[in-house]
Amino acid sequence: MPSVHWRTEINRHAHACVDLTNRELDIVTLLALGASTREIANDLLVSPHTVAAHLAQMLRKVSVANRTELVARLYAEGVLSQGAWPPVVVNGHLCRRRRASDLKGTVDMSFDALSALREANHPVDLLSTAQRTVLAGLTEQEVEVLNSIKDRLEVAAGEVEGQEMKLL
């Protein structure tokens, strides 16, 4: 199991709606990697009982029933960065309970940009992790624009013999 120390620099801060401590952020990051309570305890040099106590506290703070819901909620709330592996805590994440005007420009969690790009036959799986991370943050409208440009390039490619045009 990877150590907490693999992270170069995690931006530490409290969640806008839930005040997570630095230790809780360490635990949830390892939890998102799939670590067990014992593995988290070994990595953080604490007892499994201490980890369990932190997990119970986080479940109460975030109002979820289990670890899976905890990780899912923290991804949905923007605490954990989507499209990044290994999981990292996001700097400046937004709380879903803020006013709609505060959420301008955030990604709709129900839209999966990478899946939409794959469906349009964009070769996203051949891109680097950093490139896929950028594409994962695209809005539905941005993906529509990319698909429109791709369609136009494909039409133009037929006019130029021996040339292959690719958007991604």
Side-chain angles (χ1 to χ4, degrees), residues 28-94:
V28 80
T29 301
L30 290 169
L31 188 62
L33 276 170
S36 68
T37 299
R38 184 169 305 282
E39 290 168 329
I40 294 169
N42 289 340
D43 197 60
L44 298 179
L45 304 174
V46 297
S47 81
H49 297 290
T50 300
V51 173
H54 281 294
L55 286 169
Q57 179 66 19
M58 284 188 285
L59 294 175
R60 280 190 297 276
K61 284 182 180 182
V62 183
S63 299
V64 294
N66 57 51
R67 298 161 177 248
T68 304
E69 283 185 39
L70 175 65
V71 170
R73 174 66 63 82
L74 294 180
Y75 271 112
E77 294 284 347
V79 175
L80 294 172
S81 176
Q82 292 210 2
W85 194 261
V88 294
V89 175
V90 175
N91 185 24
H93 54 272
L94 296 174

Side-chain angles (χ1 to χ4, degrees), residues 14-28:
H15 183 272
C17 294
V18 178
D19 186 22
L20 296 179
T21 66
N22 289 343
R23 180 57 76 174
E24 289 170 339
L25 291 172
D26 286 340
I27 290 170
V28 80

